[in-house]
Amino acid sequence: MKKTCTFVLAATLALSALLAGCGGGGSDPASTGGTDTGSSPPASSGESGSTDKVEKFTMSLRHIQIGEPQKFRKAILDDVVKKTEEEVPGLKFELDGLEDSVNRFTKLPAEMAAGNPPKIMSLFGGAGDAQKYAKAGRLLDLTPILEELGLKDKFLNVLDPFSVDGKVYGLPIGGNAEGIFYNTDIFQQYGLNPPTTWDDLIKAADTLKENGITPFAVGSKGAWVPNMTINTFIGRLAGPETITGFTTGAAKWNSPDVVAAYTLYKEWVDKGYFTKGELGKEYGDMLNDFVAGKAGMMFDGSWRSSAFKNDAVGAAVAGKVAFVSLPPLPNGKGDQTSVNANYGEGYGFSADLNDNELKAVKAFIKNMYSDEMQLRGLLEDGVLPSMKLSEASVAQVSDPLVKQVLDVLNGAGATFPHFDSVVQSKVYTETETQLQKLIAGNVTPQEAADAIQKVQDAENAAAAAE
Amino acid sequence: MPAAIKKAFPHAVMLTYVAVILLPFLFVLFSSFKANNVEIATRPFGLPKTWAFENYKEAWVKAKINVYFWNSLYLSLSSAAVGVLLAAAAAFALVRMKFEAVSRWIYQYVLIGMLIPGNVLFIAQYLLVRNMGILNTHWSLFLPYTAGALPLSVLLIAAFMRSIPGELEEAAIVDGLRAPGLFLRIVLPLTVPALVTVFIINFLGNWNEYLLANFFLSKDSLRTLPTGMVGFRDAFQTNYALVCTGIVYSVVPVLVIYTFLQKK
Amino acid sequence: MKNALRNPYVYLMFVLPAIALYFLFFIYPMLMSVYYGFTDWDGLSKPNFIGLDNFIAAFSDPEFRSSILNNIYILLFSCCVQVPIIVVLSLVIAGVRRLQGFYKTTVFMPSILSTSVIGILWGYIYDPDVGLLNNLLKLFGAGPIYWLAEPQWAMFAILITNAWQWVGFYIVLMLAAILAIPKDIDEAAGIDGATGVQRAWHLTVPLIKPVINVVIMLSIAGALRVVDIVLVMTGGGPAGATEVMASYMVNKAIKYGEYGYGTALSIIIFVIALVLTALYQILIARRQERVEY
């Protein structure tokens, strides 16, 4: 391997020299502008003579706060960035915004494999994300930093998806509950009760359907979106502990209860409860349809609540949206008030940092994970705090929608996580593939469940062998 | 009368086809000026009620299309030019110089490349570029683009050079010209038609390239037009008018250059 | 006297840059692909040699098999539908005098746009709510059709987009050959009383067979290479309906980190391309005219 490397290097040098000679016409393909190629800047300046001269350095920061619906979260990030740049002399962040799933499922995995992730990055917790990268040694162990900054005990009990062997590798910015957003105007117009009981929910769906309104907006081009619904169906039909049982073997995807969840989803597809052509719709389309009044409800995460403010994309329905938990299922198992609550989205940091960059990371953490920003996240963005906030702070919430989200969480007898943060990535991939096939009508619920369980068995066996 | 129909028929066929080509452009152009999605949906071919020029300002600021455009342009041009030069030099040596046995081997070796569909090497090239430490720089596209064009370029240029009569060179050699001079002063000028063709093919290939550009670069300031535009769409996908504006921005310069070159 | 052309150093100077670059970006990656193809490398941990497991898995992988089928659809569509259209339209353009330049210019236009921009553009044309196509269908009281969301339409939608982009390119290629045919042959036939269509079919088509062969070869290669348009328009969806070999390979490697499996798939794609090219050369092109290198 070493040999090939040296050869490649030699060949490259030879080539660059040749190219430089050939391409003399002024065409220089090297990057313009920022010259930082990721790992080059030396940490300590050798000359001690100019200690007061500030060494300038740039740091890459990958975030997913792009587009209109994310603007509140982006504003918080911008403020943290500005503050951190002021505090750390010479620091300049290079912000790189990517669409969530592009970052999570395409860019970041590739960069992690390549060993050159951004210095600071948007990161999800769980076996397929933070824990996988942490085990591969790509992420910075934050435990000493948390200790140093006195943040260790400030977080709620939400760091597990970001932890490996008791060490913390990422920090969630906040939490969310998943449930049903519904358009109160439309519900009023058709004389419908809020969808707080199963019968009311089904009646609402049927009524809306009859009147040419899509009951549930959904955009299933990215299968994680319908997977949210499946996730809660499974939690309710098979019991909240099911989700964590897949990897231990305590629960099976093809058990009758879990299959029932898939069957229910398919039933709703067949009944026309979901957006027509959902497989071609993006996540953004889902919000669009809901805001446009084309759909009366949507099953989504509470992070969407900030889209329905007066100055946001969903302004058209501002004040006309309510949030409830999925009502108790008639043939459900376990606690029927349980909700899918998760603290998945956060930030992680590259393990490959020099002293200056480490300083910047510390400042970033200090500024991002502060009471102030947590409260702003709650008030401005409707994201539940991942850190302990005082009662007085939480009481400042005035947005009725955010209040409803808090009510849902407070009223939940149990919570269960997203299975994407629990199961191995290959299994999760299979759930996406199979769910889309199920929606397309290519497989039956039983076949889909069997296929997922097959991958689960293989992965569990592989994990046991290690 | 039948004669007139006979004459008009080919035009009818062609005009239909031209309409199929142009309608999408027109649709996007009109949409780009419309205020909102509802207007696009209800009157796809109607002129905008009010011309929303602010879409253009917004898209320009938000999408950095100028950056993408220049990145694409200079990468495509430089790597197409270098590729043609390298290929021409190699083709000259293979066809004209007197090392037939070796040349035949090298020629076959280069032609293997023709059989490898570009994207087959994608993963390995990704790893290579990464090991070379040029991931996230324009070198990571320039080098594979230049290399990727070599097999076809060598094939086409060599074929063309073979058809150039040898007498010219012999005369030049008698006049005391050495191989490099022969190449630069005699063969290269004679090969210009082939070089131009190859250059255009390479340029278009690079200009269009999406796969490598998408995975080898992640900085926004380095992105080329194809990937930059997809990123833009992903960010603003539900704002149809704005994305259509982005499309217009990315299409118009190309069309202008194209018609300009056509005239010549 | 011919010493000028026998200097080995000069020879090397001319050949080496191209060869070295070519080696670095073609041969070396090819060799590395073969190596990784036999491992279970996930990009993060150490690769383990697992023999033929990847290849066995590939052929029992229903997703990959259906992606092969999709490539075959594209191939058949481009050879059996696109190529005849290209030939006919080229003949039509060659046959007219007025507006010939205009047709040539417009027809080529889509080919100069980047595939991804075309993907975005056609994404809007296929959009179920605001798209051009469904708006047209509405005029006839039909639709809406969820072009990119329904498995039975999505592949078709991609085929059309792909054809829209490339037909013009091939037309220009073919037109060059047709226009290069010496006028006197055509005129002689005209005197003999052959009609335009007869002349085109019996005279022109046989004369441009080599170009048609080239176009078919390029179409085959193109059909196996299709990936951008899929990634941009559907990402392989809905439910894998438009997944092609290359997009599946890229997804497996990059998205799911299965580099070993991904490179194994790339080798399979390579072999398929090789076999198809060879078959075409032996069965069809050989019989007509050997493509001389």
Side-chain angles (χ1 to χ4, degrees), chain A residues 281-321:
Chain A
K281 294 267 191 178
E282 304 275 357
Y283 180 55
D285 295 327
M286 165 171 167
L287 179 66
N288 231 26
D289 284 353
F290 182 74
V291 170
K294 282 189 212 161
M297 297 180 271
M298 65 174 187
F299 192 94
D300 206 338
S302 59
W303 59 82
R304 267 299 191 227
S305 62
S306 64
F308 307 114
K309 286 168 176 271
N310 280 319
D311 51 349
V313 272
V317 290
K320 301 171 192 164
V321 178

Side-chain angles (χ1 to χ4, degrees), chain B residues 38 134 220:
Chain B
V38 181
I134 55 174
D220 203 31

Side-chain angles (χ1 to χ4, degrees), chain A residues 21-181:
Chain A
C22 294
S27 53
D28 173 23
S31 79
T32 48
T35 48
D36 173 34
T37 49
S39 56
S40 45
S44 52
S45 55
E47 285 128 299
S48 50
S50 56
T51 36
D52 51 342
K53 209 181 135 203
V54 182
E55 192 190 340
K56 287 213 161 85
F57 65 106
T58 58
M59 262 177 95
S60 45
L61 194 166
R62 166 76 47 75
H63 66 89
I64 54 174
Q65 318 305 345
I66 58 167
E68 278 299 295
Q70 314 293 335
K71 68 176 182 182
F72 301 105
R73 178 55 54 185
K74 178 72 171 25
I76 293 176
L77 176 67
D78 282 341
D79 288 346
V80 169
V81 161
K82 206 172 138 229
K83 210 167 158 204
T84 309
E85 282 177 346
E86 278 163 12
E87 286 173 14
V88 181
L91 167 67
K92 179 99 188 74
F93 279 117
E94 202 168 54
L95 265 66
D96 176 22
L98 275 184
E99 199 270 326
D100 173 15
S101 56
V102 172
N103 173 58
R104 185 177 177 191
F105 297 121
T106 310
K107 272 287 159 57
L108 205 53
E111 288 163 343
M112 285 293 178
N116 65 341
K119 299 297 172 188
I120 300 179
M121 75 210 91
S122 162
L123 182 72
F124 277 78
D129 296 88
Q131 289 169 343
K132 185 166 82 183
Y133 302 139
K135 279 182 193 152
R138 298 285 193 261
L139 294 174
L140 182 69
D141 176 10
L142 303 174
T143 327
I145 297 181
L146 293 183
E147 194 94 36
E148 188 188 324
L149 295 173
L151 287 173
K152 204 177 142 214
D153 300 316
K154 296 280 280 179
F155 279 91
L156 298 168
N157 184 22
V158 292
L159 297 179
D160 281 352
F162 289 94
S163 304
V164 175
D165 299 332
K167 287 178 180 161
V168 181
Y169 293 90
L171 299 169
I173 47 173
N176 292 286
E178 287 172 13
I180 297 170
F181 288 96

